[in-house]
Amino acid sequence: MPIEQPTAKKMPVNKMPIAEALRTVQRPTFLGITFDDAMHYFFRGNATVSILVLFLIVIFLFKEGGGFFSQNVQNLEIYRKAGLEYVDIVRTRVDNHRTLGRFLGELRTKQLNLLHGDESALAGYDAAVERFSVTIDEYQGFVSEYTEVATGIKEKFKIGLDMEVAKQNFQREGKFEESGKIVIPEIDFATETQIFRDSVPQIKVIDEKFHTEVNASLESFPAMPSVELQPQLEKFKELVKLHQEDVRTMEKSLTEWNWQKPIPWYETFTSFIFGRNWLTASFWQDWYGIIPLFVGSLIIAILSIAIAVPFAIGAAIYVNQVATRHEQNLIKPYIEFVSAVPSVVWGFFGIAVVGQLIRTVSELGVVSWVPFFPIAERLNIATASCLLAIMAIPTIFSLAEDAIQNVPNAYTESSLALGATKFQTIWIIMIPSALSGIVSAIILGLGRVIGETMVVLLCSGGRIQIPDFSKGLGIFFQPVHTMTGIIAQEMGEVANGAIHYRALFMVGIVLFFISLLLNYAAQQVVKRYKISIG
Amino acid sequence: MSTTLEKSANQKKKEEAMSINSLINPSMESMMTETKPKPIIEIDNVDFYYGATKALHGITLNIEPKKVTAFIGPSGCGKSTLLRCINRMNDLVDIARVGAGQFRISGVDIYHPSVDVIELRKRVGMVFQKSNPFPKSIYENIVYGLRIQGINDKKRLDEVVEKSLRGAALWDEVKDRLHDSALGLSGGQMQRICIARAIAVDPEIILMDEPCSALDPIATAKVEELIHELKTKFTIVIVTHNMQQAGRCSDTTAFFYLGKLIEIGNTEKIFTNPTQQQTEDYITGRFG
C-alpha cells in the first residue's frame, strides 16, 4: 500500500517489542551505582560538608569564647585582692573632681568669648578656680602612693601565675625534676593588704581638710563678669555640693572594703555584658565591658540605616514604578555596582573626603548656630554612617525592588483603572503590599551594616568610649569604636589563649547572635506578613 | 510617555479628520446610519503600535450607550488592545502609542492633552480577566475608588458599599463579612467584587476584559446575568473568547482579525447571517 510504506521506513528497524524492553533494558551502572545516584550522593556530600564546617566553626567560636568567663573571674578577683579596687574608690572621686575643673575651664572660655579676649576681668575667677583645683591634691597624692602598692601586689601575683604555667609545662613534658624546683611563693593577701586598712584614718584627715577648703574656694568665686553666665556658675556650685556628698560616702566604702569578699558568680557575665569600660593592656586593671563597643556599633548602624532607607526605598520605588525602561537599565546596574567597591576603598574615601568635608562644613560661619558645631573630630559616627549608608543602599535597594516587583501587576492596574493617581497607587496599594519585603530588606541591610568592619575601623574614630548622650544630636559627631572594628584591630596582637583573646571571641559571639537574630527577624517578617490586610 | 502619545495623536488629528470619511468602509457606513441613538464612544480610524509593530489597523466603530458591545476574535487580534485604549490603560506600556486616529467619548478626544487621564478612568471603569481584588477587606476594596477621591464620610461609604454590592448581586453573600479579606472569597465572588468596585465610583462606561475566562460555568452564568442587569445603567464593552457568551449577553458584536475590524453589527445578525466570509468561518469554528 502506497501510504503505509513511508511510515514503515521511518520506524527504527531494531525497536524491541514493549514487553521485552520492559523486561530486559537496564540503566548503565558503575559499581552498582547509576549516574543519577552518583549525582545524588555528590550533592548530599557537599551539603553535609558545608553544614559540618559551619557547625565546627560555631563550636570553635564558643570554645574559644567560653573560656573568657573563668579567666575573667580571676581577673576580677585579683582586682579586689591586690587592692586595686580600694585605690579606685578614691580615684573615682579624684576623676570627678577633675571633670568639675573642666567645667570651669569651659565656662572660662565662654566668658572670654563674651569679653572678646580681655583676660583682666577674669583674674578673680582664675584664682578661685586654682583654689578649687588644688583641694584634690592630697587625694591625688594618696592615690599615687597606693597605686604603687596595689600594682606591686598584682605583679607578685602575676609572677606566681607565670611560674604556675611554667611548672605545668615542665610536668607535661615529663621533666618533674625541673618542675619540682619551681616553688611558687604564696601571697599572703591579708598581710599585703593590711596597708590599705591602715590608711583609712589618713583618709579621714584628708576628708575634713578637703571639705573646708572646697567650701572656702566656692565662696571665693566672684560674680561672673557677664550676668548671663551666672546661672552656670550656680549650677557648678550645686554639682560641687553633690560631689562633696559623694566624697563623704567614700570613707564608708573604704572602711567596708574587704579583700576577702567573694566575687559573685554572675559578675563575670555582667561585667562583660553591662561593662562600661573596654580597657586592655593597661598597667592598672583590664576591663572587658562590651557596652561601649555595642553602643558604638548600634548608633552607627541605626544612623546609617536612617540615611540609607529613604534613598534606597525611594530609588526602588522610582526604578520599579516611575522610571522608563531606559532609566531602569541605567540606574539599576549603577546602584548594584556600588556593592562591588571594596570596603577598604570606601574607608579611604571616608578618611580623605567625607570626614574632611563634614568637618569643613561644620566650621562654616553659616552653621555656627548649631550647638555642637564646629566638630572636633573628622572621623566620627557620622562619617562612618555616611559611608555605611552608601554600602547598605545596594542591599536594601535590590531586596526592596524585588519586593515591589513581586506586588502583582494586577493591583497596580486595577488601582489605576479606578482613577487613582500614580502616587496614590504607590502609596495605598503598592507599598502596603510590599511592606513585608521592604521591612525585611531594611533588617538585612541592618545586618550588613552591623557586620561591616573595614569602614568602621577606618572612619569611626577608634575611641573606645560610650558617646556622651547629653550632647543631643551632637552625639553623632563623636568618635566611637565598634565590635567588628575592635576584633579586626586587636586580634593580631593578642596572645593565643589569653583573656584578651577570649574576650575578642566573646565579642565575635555577640556579633554572631545579633546577625542570627536579624536574619531570623527578617524571615519571620516575610513569613508572617506576606500579604498585609489593611 | 503619555505626552508624546497625545502629541502624536494631536498632530495627526487634522489630516485624519479630513480623510476619515473617505476611508470608512461603505458597509460600515450603512451600519452607522442604522444605529439610532447617538454613540457614546466613537473610535475613528485608529492605528495603534507596540514599538514598531502595528497592532491595530484603521479601526473605526461606534458604541451605543446603555448597550453591551462584545469584541470577539482569535487570540492576538487586538481586541484587548482596543479595549485598553478606551480608558488609556495602554499608557502604562512604555512602547505603546496611538499612531493615528481618534477615540472620542461623548464627542471629546480622550487622547487630547487637555484630558485628565485620572478623570477619564473614573468615568470609564474596567474589570480585568484575572479577578484582582486588593489584599484588603471587602469593604475597603469597594470604597477604594471613593477614598482616593478623598471621600471618607462613613455614612456615604456604607451606602455606596451596599448599593454596589447589591448592584453586583453579591450583597446577600458577603454582607456579614464585609471586613474580612476579599482574598478569602471564591473566584466568581472575587470577580463580582471587582465589578462592584468598578461600579462604586459610578462610571458611565465599564470595560470588561474577558471577565469570565477564569471562572467555572456557574460563576460565569452569574456574571453574565449581572452584565445583563448592569446594561440598564451602564454602557458595557466586553472582550470575550467565548462565542456563546457574546451571543448570550451582547447587543452588538464586533469581530476582529489580525488587528483589523472585520465586521460589526447586531449580535443576532452577526451570529446568524454575517456579511463577511471570515466572520462566518470564525463563528462556525472553522478557525480561531
Side-chain angles (χ1 to χ4, degrees):
Chain A
M1 294 233 268
I3 294 173
E4 275 175 28
Q5 241 173 359
T7 7
K9 257 184 194 169
K10 269 184 196 163
M11 284 245 298
V13 209
N14 56 349
K15 194 178 176 194
M16 280 183 213
I18 182 164
E20 195 190 337
L22 291 176
R23 227 179 297 124
T24 57
V25 174
Q26 296 282 313
R27 311 190 63 194
T29 58
F30 179 72
L31 300 174
I33 300 169
T34 65
F35 181 72
D36 281 8
D37 286 340
M39 277 292 123
H40 174 89
Y41 292 132
F42 177 71
F43 288 123
R44 188 157 71 176
N46 284 354
T48 315
V49 166
S50 27
I51 289 171
L52 213 65
V53 167
L54 213 69
F55 182 71
L56 287 176
I57 289 173
V58 173
I59 294 287
F60 173 73
L61 201 63
F62 277 83
K63 182 183 143 281
E64 294 296 302
F68 167 77
F69 292 110
S70 59
Q71 289 190 5
N72 199 26
V73 169
Q74 204 179 43
N75 180 38
L76 294 171
E77 259 174 14
I78 189 64
Y79 176 67
R80 176 161 291 166
K81 283 184 181 167
L84 275 72
E85 188 181 40
Y86 182 86
V87 183
D88 270 350
I89 294 173
V90 186
R91 194 195 299 275
T92 324
R93 272 70 180 192
V94 175
D95 289 344
N96 288 345
H97 198 84
R98 292 265 161 71
T99 314
L100 286 169
R102 275 199 292 280
F103 185 94
L104 287 176
E106 281 167 27
L107 190 59
R108 185 180 193 276
T109 317
K110 282 179 199 162
Q111 181 61 74
L112 205 58
N113 282 341
L114 288 176
L115 293 173
H116 306 292
D118 178 17
E119 298 209 3
S120 57
L122 282 170
Y125 179 80
D126 285 347
V129 169
E130 178 62 24
R131 206 165 160 193
F132 174 76
S133 298
V134 297
T135 52
I136 202 72
D137 281 0
E138 289 204 26
Y139 281 123
Q140 179 63 44
F142 181 89
V143 168
S144 315
E145 192 185 333
Y146 287 93
T147 294
E148 268 169 42
V149 177
T151 39
I153 302 171
K154 192 182 173 185
E155 212 47 47
K156 273 188 205 167
F157 179 79
K158 271 194 170 169
I159 290 168
L161 279 183
D162 289 346
M163 288 164 90
E164 177 92 36
V165 171
K167 191 169 180 171
Q168 278 170 1
N169 282 345
F170 277 132
Q171 276 172 354
R172 208 175 301 141
E173 289 162 21
K175 299 174 181 168
F176 292 104
E177 208 176 306
E178 281 93 337
S179 79
K181 276 184 202 160
I182 299 177
V183 181
I184 300 163
E186 279 290 314
I187 302 173
D188 182 3
F189 284 108
T191 335
E192 297 275 2
T193 55
Q194 186 56 43
I195 185 167
F196 296 121
R197 284 191 292 282
D198 293 345
S199 70
V200 177
Q202 195 187 337
I203 282 288
K204 268 186 195 165
V205 179
I206 304 177
D207 249 13
E208 274 164 33
K209 204 174 156 200
F210 172 76
H211 289 300
T212 43
E213 279 184 17
V214 166
N215 288 338
S217 75
L218 283 188
E219 276 159 27
S220 73
F221 271 98
M224 299 300 290
S226 306
V227 189
E228 64 263 38
L229 290 179
Q230 192 61 30
Q232 296 205 24
L233 187 66
E234 296 305 327
K235 192 186 161 203
F236 166 74
K237 287 180 179 171
E238 273 169 37
L239 289 173
V240 172
K241 287 276 179 288
L242 289 176
H243 174 52
Q244 279 179 303
E245 288 300 315
D246 185 43
V247 171
R248 280 193 191 98
T249 64
M250 178 173 78
E251 191 194 317
K252 189 161 167 277
S253 317
L254 291 178
T255 325
E256 279 172 3
W257 179 79
N258 181 2
W259 68 273
Q260 281 171 311
K261 205 171 142 202
I263 308 274
W265 62 270
Y266 52 81
E267 192 145 326
T268 176
F269 298 99
T270 50
S271 74
F272 174 73
I273 295 169
F274 303 114
R276 300 166 67 87
N277 282 313
W278 180 277
L279 199 63
T280 57
S282 82
F283 83 102
W284 182 245
Q285 170 68 11
D286 288 353
W287 293 108
Y288 302 98
I290 201 172
I291 289 293
L293 307 172
F294 181 76
V295 170
S297 281
L298 199 69
I299 293 182
I300 287 185
I302 289 173
L303 182 60
S304 51
I305 289 298
I307 297 171
V309 161
F311 286 105
I313 306 290
I317 291 171
Y318 180 78
V319 165
N320 195 279
Q321 292 292 309
V322 189
T324 60
R325 192 163 296 271
H326 181 67
E327 281 177 310
Q328 278 181 8
N329 292 340
L330 201 73
I331 299 171
K332 260 169 92 167
Y334 266 84
I335 292 185
E336 272 148 23
F337 172 74
V338 170
S339 60
V341 178
S343 58
V344 70
V345 175
W346 287 123
F348 276 152
F349 180 70
I351 292 176
V353 182
V354 180
Q356 196 60 47
L357 191 75
I358 289 179
R359 188 162 67 176
T360 312
V361 167
S362 80
E363 280 163 356
L364 294 179
V366 193
V367 290
S368 59
W369 52 270
V370 182
F372 43 89
F373 277 177
I375 55 171
E377 307 280 344
R378 82 194 151 98
L379 299 182
N380 52 41
I381 294 174
T383 312
S385 294
C386 285
L387 289 153
L388 284 179
I390 297 175
M391 296 179 68
I393 283 174
T395 311
I396 302 178
F397 168 81
S398 299
L399 293 168
E401 214 253 341
D402 282 352
I404 293 168
Q405 182 72 43
N406 286 340
V407 173
N409 199 22
Y411 292 170
T412 324
E413 257 189 354
S414 43
S415 167
L416 290 172
L418 284 166
T421 61
K422 192 138 208 163
F423 180 76
Q424 285 171 328
T425 304
I426 290 173
W427 198 244
I428 310 177
I429 297 299
M430 210 202 62
I431 293 185
S433 303
L435 197 61
S436 67
I438 291 175
V439 169
S440 87
I442 293 171
I443 295 176
L444 291 173
L446 192 65
R448 166 114 170 75
V449 164
I450 284 202
E452 169 53 39
T453 307
M454 211 59 215
V455 163
V456 292
L457 185 60
L458 290 173
C459 300
S460 66
R463 184 188 294 170
I464 308 172
Q465 197 179 52
I466 301 174
D468 184 359
F469 282 87
S470 65
K471 293 247 164 74
L473 285 176
I475 190 177
F476 293 127
F477 296 96
Q478 295 174 17
V480 289
H481 216 308
T482 60
M483 294 191 285
T484 49
I486 205 91
I487 296 176
Q489 185 175 330
E490 296 184 347
M491 205 53 173
E493 51 197 49
V494 294
N496 199 334
I499 179 172
H500 188 181
Y501 166 88
R502 296 195 187 282
L504 292 177
F505 266 92
M506 275 312 299
V507 176
I509 291 174
V510 170
L511 269 172
F512 173 75
F513 274 112
I514 291 173
S515 299
L516 211 65
L517 201 75
L518 289 178
N519 277 301
Y520 179 74
Q523 275 178 13
Q524 286 302 306
V525 166
V526 170
K527 211 191 273 175
R528 197 162 304 170
Y529 305 103
K530 195 128 203 165
I531 286 178
S532 39
I533 308 294
Chain B
M1 178 224 34
S2 60
T3 50
T4 55
L5 238 175
E6 287 149 3
K7 208 184 274 176
S8 63
N10 202 26
Q11 278 171 357
K12 304 253 167 102
K13 210 170 83 177
K14 278 184 188 167
E15 38 182 308
E16 295 305 325
M18 285 162 54
S19 58
I20 281 168
N21 291 332
S22 58
L23 279 171
I24 291 176
N25 183 325
S27 68
M28 213 70 70
E29 207 167 14
S30 63
M31 212 80 68
M32 280 163 67
T33 48
E34 270 175 37
T35 58
K36 269 138 211 158
K38 199 173 179 295
I40 183 162
I41 304 172
E42 296 162 278
I43 299 171
D44 234 11
N45 200 29
V46 163
D47 286 349
F48 185 86
Y49 296 86
Y50 285 117
T53 319
K54 197 170 182 181
L56 295 176
H57 302 262
I59 307 284
T60 301
L61 63 88
N62 290 339
I63 290 167
E64 293 165 32
K66 311 270 166 84
K67 287 273 165 65
V68 178
T69 307
F71 290 177
I72 60 169
S75 296
C77 69
K79 55 194 188 304
S80 281
T81 300
L82 185 67
L83 188 78
R84 292 166 66 92
C85 282
I86 299 174
N87 68 346
R88 289 181 55 178
M89 284 306 278
N90 280 329
D91 289 12
L92 304 181
V93 182
D94 275 347
I95 52 170
R97 67 195 166 86
V98 175
Q102 267 191 359
F103 289 88
R104 285 190 298 273
I105 292 179
S106 294
V108 179
D109 174 12
I110 58 169
Y111 281 88
H112 193 273
S114 68
V115 170
D116 180 20
V117 65
I118 304 299
E119 190 56 37
L120 169 72
R121 289 182 189 148
K122 277 181 204 161
R123 301 308 193 89
V124 185
M126 187 157 190
V127 176
F128 295 85
Q129 178 174 7
K130 198 166 160 282
S131 57
N132 51 2
F134 301 125
K136 293 173 179 284
S137 66
I138 294 170
Y139 186 92
E140 285 300 322
N141 262 283
I142 307 296
V143 300
Y144 179 79
L146 300 174
R147 284 213 197 275
I148 56 177
Q149 293 175 30
I151 301 166
N152 281 311
D153 175 21
K154 181 88 172 60
K155 218 175 137 197
R156 168 110 188 261
L157 294 181
D158 288 346
E159 275 170 21
V160 170
V161 167
E162 182 171 349
K163 203 175 124 210
S164 311
L165 285 172
R166 280 194 195 285
L170 201 58
W171 175 251
D172 293 328
E173 290 168 57
V174 300
K175 64 181 175 195
D176 297 326
R177 44 174 176 152
L178 288 177
H179 296 281
D180 291 0
S181 168
L183 299 180
L185 298 172
S186 75
Q189 285 173 325
M190 282 206 261
Q191 193 60 295
R192 280 180 287 151
I193 284 283
C194 294
I195 295 172
R197 186 172 68 183
I199 61 180
V201 288
D202 197 24
E204 269 74 28
I205 301 161
I206 299 176
L207 310 174
M208 297 186 173
D209 191 357
E210 297 179 38
C212 300
S213 66
L215 302 183
D216 63 59
I218 293 170
T220 303
K222 282 193 178 168
V223 172
E224 280 177 14
E225 201 178 312
L226 177 59
I227 290 170
H228 207 73
E229 282 167 25
L230 291 176
K231 189 169 77 169
T232 55
K233 288 165 109 184
F234 308 99
T235 305
I236 294 173
V237 186
I238 179 169
V239 163
T240 178
H241 264 128
N242 183 331
M243 226 73 65
Q244 288 80 11
Q245 186 171 59
R248 279 194 298 266
C249 60
S250 71
D251 303 306
T252 310
T253 297
F255 171 63
F256 294 83
Y257 183 60
L258 295 178
K260 293 191 182 90
L261 174 65
I262 305 299
E263 189 170 358
I264 180 168
N266 187 291
T267 299
E268 217 181 292
K269 181 168 175 291
I270 291 267
F271 276 85
T272 52
N273 185 21
T275 53
Q276 304 290 314
Q277 183 61 35
Q278 279 169 316
T279 316
E280 193 181 335
D281 287 352
Y282 183 70
I283 286 166
T284 52
R286 220 163 289 169
F287 80 98

